[in-house]
């Protein structure tokens, strides 16, 4: 606990921790897009914004189903590693929440189909679209709440027996809302960035948004995205401050100790850079400085994801020795298959790239060219 | 193992439902959808090839309609029921899924990379397929099918390992466990089943497509029916599977357990009906199949999958991982330890309804039931203990429960102290007596010698299937 993450842990533990964090970051990026994207569409619908086609609704409506598929597919890897890293607390929290936890799956299925409703030409019009967006947003907020609740319950070992006996299905603690708030508001800048990249990309391609919606609409959308990102960042920072204030000893240890401190700093520096860059876009709403903005966003996400892990490691360390966890990780690391994984992972990265290449080069027009 | 290190998890009450039914129930949906996705990929490759080579122009119309269906159903519900399987497995037996993840996480990780390719190729086709040249379409579909089939390949090894761990039991090696004796027969069986399901769903979709005239439909149906041809080999794969699984498991499905035998019969019966219709009617006599009949056959295929899944889950008993973990999550090595120290002595989770029991002995009995029996038995619902023991005297219960693994070898040995055994017996007797408000505890110390003798006679090893069979009238 007195060295920056993941140094200072035995090699197998450090190995699985890194894999977990890296794969979780991919999930977080896609999940942020879905969470913030549906929420923005819902609010926009309520304010009449879905009555007419507009660039943001067009992009989000088009890409949200795929992003959700991606978010879920990407989530399977951290779901695997979390079971190796924290088997007993993770399973226990799942079991304690029971039906309430399992409810997330049908809810996500409903959310998924609502995204298709949002896209289907048959459901054209303000109210069907708004209703679908609102329904989907509620479903994904429920999923986010479930994960935050589960994560916090994982760490509340002293409450498990009482929770079970009282047949509770909801876990509450003061840190829950600010922590959830950080995720929800923090999702806005990521969504804004991805949409911005999509706008920039479409301006280059033959599906030019400017010709479809007019240049003013696109500029307006970039400015809106910038405002959303700024508001999201400000609200997430506010939630973070509340979280730090109400947080327990584990949160305070992570704030001050070397394990997570530098990553928190990385996250904050990333957030400050994002702030400056988005502010620049408010003033001049043309998609630019995309690389630094992407770097800053990734720095924030990576920093906060590791910081989140530091809180968990401190909490578990405060409860009991971490040695049994280290022993389990060492046993898991002794199992074969890693080399095969690397080989097939490389092969499949190749196949996935091949799919992109096929789409890029296989268009019918190119034959006639 | 130090009993204080045993990972006690909170155990949920599924009411009148057997926990195995919960996982089996979701499993059916998931397996059916996943198999549809796998076979669907192959079918689409075939149809794309027919379309682009001019052999079947109408195939192109079909592909886009069918693919939408495939994406909407299998990507969405298939992916989420997959996660659901994981979550349900945690609910039913965290120790089992923990062992599986511990042993095979890299295999799962490999499967995940294939699943990711399946999603990427699938979406690429869904979004851009109509703009692409034929060769590009076929390439995307081929990548999609390959990835989907390989997902099956990897997961099949892990599931087959649970029943037939093979050399893993000796050397603990991942590959020894993965390429286990039932790996190939179950992979081939599932591949043939996937193709049949995709062919049947295609017949429904073709009938539902208003843009096709009768002649087109007829031709497409006969093309789709080719996917059902591998069903001819399914009896061979099935027999191969039955031949390599342990003798006791085979016996449960072939008469030893009424429920398992019924499920197997349903699966075989439904498959024979589908296979007969497909092979004789569609392929040999080139009959037409209308939407209603095709839907009926899809329902039958669902019944066959359901039967198969229940058999797969059921025949592992008394284990979830053969030789390594009993269904109630107690390892074979721990049985002797728990006989000394008790199975619930260190359980930190109290009863939720402690006040409902008039005595401490009954409370202990209920805890023992929760720990050792509740994964397969409800109290008075599905496979309910009150139904099963209703006609037993208290002394018969002492004998049969102490000798659990000999009473029925698909149950694990009783893993508790004499006091826990007696408490369980008393709790069942109390439930059988309709939970009276007044109840007098039995005198465990007076019975101690007798209970010890019974437990010693039963031993701590799993039941002997041969002995059980020899003792049957
Ligand atoms: C749109 C749907 C989803 C949303 C909005 C969502 C949201 C979240 C959030 C907010 C967290 C962080 C919780 C916290 O630290 O307070 C999280 C973590 C996580 N999510 Fe998701 N999630 C979604 C779907 C899924 C699915 C379907 C899976 C599984 C396949 C999944 C797997 C994970 C995992 C493994 C973690 C880390 C858990 C831990 O560290 O204890 N997520 N998710």
């Amino acid at each position: 606990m007195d060295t920056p993450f993941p140094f200072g842990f035995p090699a197998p533990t450090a190995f699985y921790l890194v894999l977990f964090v890296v794969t979780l970051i991919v999930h977080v990026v896609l999940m942020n897009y879905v969470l913030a994207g549906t929420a923005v569409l819902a609010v926009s619908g309520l304010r009449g914004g879905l009555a007419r086609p507009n660039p943001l609704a067009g992009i989000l409506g088009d890409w949200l189903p795929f992003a959700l598929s991606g978010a879920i597919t990407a989530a399977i890897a951290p779901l695997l590693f979390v079971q190796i890293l924290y088997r007993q607390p993770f399973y226990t929290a799942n079991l304690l929440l029971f039906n309430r936890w399992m409810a997330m799956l049908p809810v996500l299925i409903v959310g998924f189909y609502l995204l298709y409703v949002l896209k289907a030409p048959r459901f054209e019009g303000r109210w069907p679209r708004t209703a679908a967006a609102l329904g989907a947003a509620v479903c994904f907020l429920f999923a986010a709440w479930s994960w935050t609740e589960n994560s916090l319950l994982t760490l509340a070992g002293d409450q498990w027996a009482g929770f079970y006996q009282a047949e509770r299905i909801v876990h509450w603690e003061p840190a829950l809302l600010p922590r959830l708030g950080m995720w929800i508001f923090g999702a806005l800048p990521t969504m804004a960035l991805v949409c911005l990249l999509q706008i920039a990309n479409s301006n280059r391609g033959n599906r030019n948004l400017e010709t479809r919606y007019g240049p003013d609409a696109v500029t307006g959308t970039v400015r809106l995205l910038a405002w959303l990102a700024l508001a999201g960042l400000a609200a997430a920072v506010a939630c973070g401050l509340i979280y730090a204030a109400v947080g327990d000893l584990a949160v305070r240890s992570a704030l001050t100790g070397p394990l997570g401190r530098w990553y928190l700093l990385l996250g904050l520096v990333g957030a400050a850079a994002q702030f400056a860059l988005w502010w620049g876009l408010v003033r001049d709403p043309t998609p630019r400085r995309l690389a630094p903005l992407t770097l800053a966003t990734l720095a924030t996400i990576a920093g906060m994801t590791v910081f989140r892990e530091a809180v968990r490691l401190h909490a578990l360390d405060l409860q009991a020795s971490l040695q049994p966890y280290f022993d389990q990780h060492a046993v898991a690391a002794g199992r074969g298959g890693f080399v095969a994984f690397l080989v097939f992972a490389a092969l499949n990265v190749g196949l996935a790239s091949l799919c992109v290449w096929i789409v890029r080069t296989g268009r019918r027009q190119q034959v006639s060219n | 193992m130090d009993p204080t290190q045993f990972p006690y998890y909170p155990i949920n009450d599924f009411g009148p439902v057997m926990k195995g039914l919960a996982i089996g129930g979701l499993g059916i949906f998931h397996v059916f959808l996943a198999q549809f996705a796998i076979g669907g990929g192959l079918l689409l490759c075939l149809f794309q090839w027919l379309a682009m080579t001019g052999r079947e122009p109408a195939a192109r119309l079909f592909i886009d309609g069918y693919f939408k269906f495939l994406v909407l159903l299998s990507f969405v519900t298939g992916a989420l029921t997959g996660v659901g399987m994981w979550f349900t497995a945690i609910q039913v037996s965290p120790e089992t899924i923990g062992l599986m993840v511990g042993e095979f996480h890299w295999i799962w990780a490999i499967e995940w990379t294939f699943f990711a390719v399946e999603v990427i190729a699938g979406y690429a086709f869904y979004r851009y397929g109509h703009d692409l040249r034929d060769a590009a379409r076929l390439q995307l579909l081929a990548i999609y099918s390959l990835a989907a089939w390989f997902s099956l390949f990897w997961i099949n090894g892990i599931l087959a390992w649970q029943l037939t761990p093979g050399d893993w039991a000796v050397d603990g090696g991942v590959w020894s466990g993965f390429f286990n004796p039932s790996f190939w027969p179950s992979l081939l069986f599932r591949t043939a089943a996937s193709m049949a399901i995709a062919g049947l769903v295609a017949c429904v979709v073709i009938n539902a497509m208003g843009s096709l005239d009768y002649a087109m439909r007829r031709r497409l149906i006969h093309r789709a029916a080719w996917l059902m041809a591998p069903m001819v080999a399914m009896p061979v794969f099935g027999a191969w599977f039955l031949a390599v699984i342990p003798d006791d498991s085979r016996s449960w499905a072939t008469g030893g357990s009424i429920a398992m035998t019924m499920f197997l019969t349903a699966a075989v019966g439904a498959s024979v009906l589908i296979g007969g219709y497909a092979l004789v009617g569609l392929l040999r006599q080139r009959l037409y199949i209308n939407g209603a009949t095709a839907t009926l056959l899809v329902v039958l295929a669902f019944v066959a999958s359901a039967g198969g899944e229940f058999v797969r889950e059921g025949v592992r008993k008394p284990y979830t991982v053969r030789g390594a973990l009993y269904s109630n999550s107690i390892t074979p090595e721990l049985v002797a330890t728990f006989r000394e120290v008790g199975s619930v002595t260190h359980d930190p989770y109290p009863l939720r309804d402690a006040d409902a029991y008039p005595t401490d002995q009954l409370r202990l009995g209920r805890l023992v039931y929760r720990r050792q029996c509740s994964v397969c038995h409800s109290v008075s619902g599905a496979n309910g203990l009150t139904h099963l023991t209703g006609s037993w005297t208290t002394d018969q219960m002492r004998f049969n429960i102490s000798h659990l693994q000999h009473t029925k070898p698909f149950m694990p040995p009783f893993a508790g102290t004499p006091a826990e055994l007696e408490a369980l017996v008393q709790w069942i007797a109390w439930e059988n007596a309709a939970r009276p408000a007044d109840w007098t505890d039995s005198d465990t110390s007076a019975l101690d010698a007798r209970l010890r003798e019974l437990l010693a006679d039963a031993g701590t090893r799993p039941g002997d299937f041969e002995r059980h069979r020899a003792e049957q009238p």
Side-chain angles (χ1 to χ4, degrees):
Chain A
M1 296 293 151
D2 42 17
T3 348
F5 178 98
F7 307 102
F9 292 109
T13 302
F15 174 63
Y16 288 115
L17 278 173
V18 170
L19 283 172
F20 172 70
V21 166
V22 169
T23 51
L24 186 61
I25 288 171
V26 182
H27 168 56
V28 167
V29 170
L30 290 159
M31 171 275 274
N32 279 357
Y33 185 80
V34 173
L35 194 59
T38 39
V40 164
L41 280 186
V43 174
S44 157
L46 288 174
R47 302 179 66 217
L50 297 182
R52 274 160 286 101
N54 67 72
L56 189 56
I59 292 174
L60 287 172
D62 205 15
W63 281 98
L64 277 170
F66 179 62
L68 181 59
S69 255
I72 293 169
T73 307
I76 291 169
L79 182 60
L80 186 65
F81 294 125
V82 80
Q83 295 176 68
I84 293 172
L85 283 166
Y86 311 107
R87 180 182 300 175
Q88 196 172 359
F90 181 74
Y91 289 167
T92 302
N94 281 205
L95 284 156
L96 288 173
L97 293 174
F98 191 32
N99 289 326
R100 151 80 189 72
W101 177 244
M102 298 298 292
M104 185 169 56
L105 295 159
V107 166
L108 280 180
I109 293 181
V110 171
F112 219 146
Y113 283 115
L114 286 174
L115 292 183
Y116 280 101
V117 168
L118 203 57
K119 211 177 151 166
R122 204 185 305 172
F123 298 100
E124 203 89 52
R126 177 178 174 189
W127 289 113
R129 295 246 147 123
T130 305
L134 253 178
V138 170
C139 292
F140 303 136
L141 283 172
F142 179 78
W145 171 46
S146 306
W147 280 102
T148 296
E149 196 186 11
N150 186 76
S151 297
L152 288 172
L153 186 55
T154 298
L155 305 180
D158 55 336
Q159 296 176 36
W160 290 346
F163 190 98
Y164 176 80
Q165 189 174 26
E167 263 183 278
R168 291 215 292 274
I169 49 161
V170 174
H171 173 67
W172 165 257
E173 60 180 274
L176 192 134
L177 279 185
R179 180 165 168 153
L180 184 58
M182 275 200 291
W183 285 111
I184 295 171
F185 293 117
L188 279 163
T190 317
M191 183 274 306
L193 171 72
V194 180
C195 287
L196 191 66
L197 292 172
Q198 289 177 297
I199 290 174
N201 192 42
S202 77
N203 281 351
R204 259 184 262 130
N206 57 358
R207 295 171 159 220
N208 198 320
L209 286 175
E210 289 196 358
T211 33
R212 216 147 106 215
Y213 299 102
D216 286 352
V218 175
T219 324
T221 303
V222 172
R223 185 169 277 131
L224 173 67
L225 286 172
W227 277 119
L228 285 172
L230 288 171
L233 279 168
V237 170
C239 288
L241 290 173
I242 302 173
Y243 180 62
V246 302
D248 56 11
L249 187 57
V251 177
R252 287 199 296 281
S253 308
L255 283 169
T256 53
L259 182 69
R261 188 169 63 200
W262 301 110
Y263 290 93
L264 177 64
L265 193 65
L266 175 71
L268 290 176
V269 169
Q274 284 189 70
F275 222 93
L277 290 161
W278 282 116
W279 182 244
L281 282 167
V282 169
R283 300 171 61 142
D284 174 8
T286 48
R288 66 209 158 87
R289 299 211 186 132
L290 298 175
L293 195 53
T294 308
L295 270 182
T297 309
L298 283 178
T300 308
I301 293 175
M304 295 315 291
T305 309
V306 176
F307 180 74
R308 166 185 188 273
E309 221 39 48
V311 173
R312 170 153 49 192
L313 289 162
H314 275 292
L316 293 176
D317 186 46
L318 288 166
Q319 280 169 25
S321 156
L322 290 179
Q323 194 55 46
Y325 291 96
F326 299 158
D327 295 343
Q328 271 184 10
H329 305 157
V331 171
R335 295 289 175 253
F338 182 55
V339 176
F341 165 73
L342 289 180
V343 171
F344 283 106
L347 176 87
N348 283 329
V349 168
L351 281 180
S353 316
L354 185 62
C355 291
V356 177
W357 182 81
I358 291 170
V359 169
R360 291 219 159 146
T361 58
R363 302 275 166 121
R364 240 181 246 138
Q365 303 94 296
Q366 286 171 350
V367 180
S368 49
N369 277 348
Chain B
M1 186 195 204
D2 173 1
T4 57
Q5 297 301 313
F6 180 76
Y8 282 101
Y9 288 105
I11 297 176
N12 286 314
D13 189 355
F14 281 45
V17 179
M18 253 172 81
K19 292 185 182 175
L21 284 181
I23 192 148
L26 185 71
I28 302 162
F29 272 102
H30 177 64
V31 167
F32 195 76
L33 290 170
Q35 293 191 339
F36 167 54
I38 293 160
L42 294 171
L43 178 90
L44 288 167
C45 284
L46 170 70
F47 271 49
Q48 174 63 30
W49 177 75
L50 290 172
M52 62 197 266
T53 52
R55 286 176 169 81
E56 185 49 75
R60 197 180 299 277
L61 278 176
F62 166 80
I63 293 171
D64 293 333
Y66 188 82
F67 200 77
K68 237 174 233 150
F69 196 61
L70 190 78
V71 166
L72 280 177
L73 208 76
S74 84
F75 275 33
V76 180
T77 316
L80 279 164
T81 52
V83 180
M85 287 297 285
W86 215 325
F87 285 1
T88 314
I90 294 171
Q91 292 295 333
V92 173
S93 174
E95 293 86 351
T96 306
I97 191 78
L99 177 64
M100 291 164 83
V101 167
E103 293 296 311
F104 292 108
H105 51 287
W106 293 119
I107 304 288
W108 244 312
I110 295 173
E111 195 237 353
W112 171 69
T113 64
F114 278 99
F115 181 62
V117 170
E118 186 184 333
V119 170
I120 291 169
Y123 262 101
F125 188 85
Y126 178 69
R127 251 189 109 78
Y128 303 107
H130 52 274
D131 290 339
L132 296 180
R133 283 181 282 121
D134 275 332
R137 282 165 64 93
L138 185 61
Q139 284 156 3
L140 275 185
L141 287 173
I143 295 175
Y144 169 83
S145 318
L146 189 82
W149 185 80
F150 265 105
S151 304
L152 169 68
F153 179 92
W154 296 109
I155 196 68
N156 170 65
I158 303 176
L159 297 179
W161 161 83
Q162 285 185 271
L163 177 61
T164 53
D167 291 341
W168 173 88
V170 183
D171 61 21
V174 161
W175 299 110
S176 319
F178 184 77
F179 290 110
N180 59 73
S182 61
F183 176 85
W184 290 111
S186 56
L187 179 66
L188 293 170
F189 190 91
R190 282 173 188 276
T191 305
S194 304
M195 292 170 72
I197 291 171
L200 287 173
V201 175
C203 293
V204 177
V205 175
I206 291 165
N207 271 290
M209 286 179 68
S211 51
L212 302 173
D213 63 29
Y214 177 76
M216 283 173 171
R217 278 188 205 158
R218 203 185 161 85
R219 284 203 313 273
L220 286 178
I221 281 174
H222 289 132
R223 300 285 192 182
W226 279 109
L227 261 90
M228 295 176 230
M231 285 190 85
V232 186
M234 279 172 81
V236 179
F237 302 146
W240 182 6
F241 178 81
L242 283 176
V244 296
I245 65 175
D247 289 344
D248 48 352
S249 298
R250 187 168 47 251
S251 84
W252 310 150
T254 52
S257 150
I258 298 170
M260 286 304 115
T261 310
M262 264 169 47
F263 284 127
L264 183 67
T265 313
V268 172
S271 303
V272 166
L273 284 175
I274 301 166
Y277 193 96
L279 299 173
V280 179
L282 291 177
L283 289 172
R284 237 183 93 85
Q285 300 189 351
R286 299 183 66 77
L287 297 175
Y288 180 75
I289 180 170
N290 63 23
T293 315
T295 308
L296 187 72
L297 291 185
V298 172
V299 173
L300 276 178
F302 189 80
V303 171
S305 293
E309 284 311 299
F310 278 120
V311 171
R312 186 176 67 78
E313 280 292 316
V315 296
R316 282 195 217 116
K317 287 188 172 45
Y319 299 102
T320 53
V321 177
R322 193 169 175 90
L325 198 60
Y326 286 124
S327 309
N328 54 15
S329 304
I330 294 172
T331 59
E333 303 80 59
L334 256 183
V335 174
T337 314
F338 277 177
R339 288 260 174 108
E340 294 304 317
V341 298
S343 59
V344 294
T345 316
H346 300 286
D347 190 340
Y349 294 99
L351 286 178
R352 284 168 163 166
D353 55 349
D355 295 344
Y357 308 93
T359 72
D360 279 343
Q361 189 181 43
L362 295 179
R363 277 187 273 274
L364 177 63
R366 172 76 197 198
L367 278 174
V368 176
Y369 156 78
R370 189 179 76 181
R371 171 74 261 160
Q372 296 201 40
C373 326
S374 71
V375 72
C376 298
H377 294 282
S378 67
V379 180
S380 41
N383 208 22
L385 285 183
T386 51
H387 307 310
L388 295 165
T389 63
S391 61
W392 296 355
T393 64
T394 312
D395 218 40
Q396 269 174 328
M397 267 199 269
R398 287 187 187 114
F399 184 88
N400 287 343
I401 296 174
S402 63
H403 284 68
L404 212 55
Q405 79 271 39
H406 305 300
T407 304
K408 291 276 180 205
F410 49 69
M411 291 196 276
F414 181 77
T417 59
E420 286 187 342
L421 170 63
E422 182 58 17
L424 179 62
V425 167
Q426 291 298 323
W427 170 75
I428 297 174
W430 178 74
E431 287 285 351
N432 285 345
R435 304 168 71 106
D438 290 323
W439 188 261
T440 313
D441 283 350
S442 62
D443 184 352
T444 310
S445 44
L447 286 162
D448 191 65
R450 161 102 180 112
L451 296 170
R452 277 183 195 283
E453 197 184 313
L454 283 173
L455 287 168
D457 178 56
T460 55
R461 296 192 36 75
D464 182 344
F465 151 75
E466 292 297 343
R467 174 178 145 186
H468 181 73
R469 194 160 56 174
E471 284 170 3
Q472 290 299 300

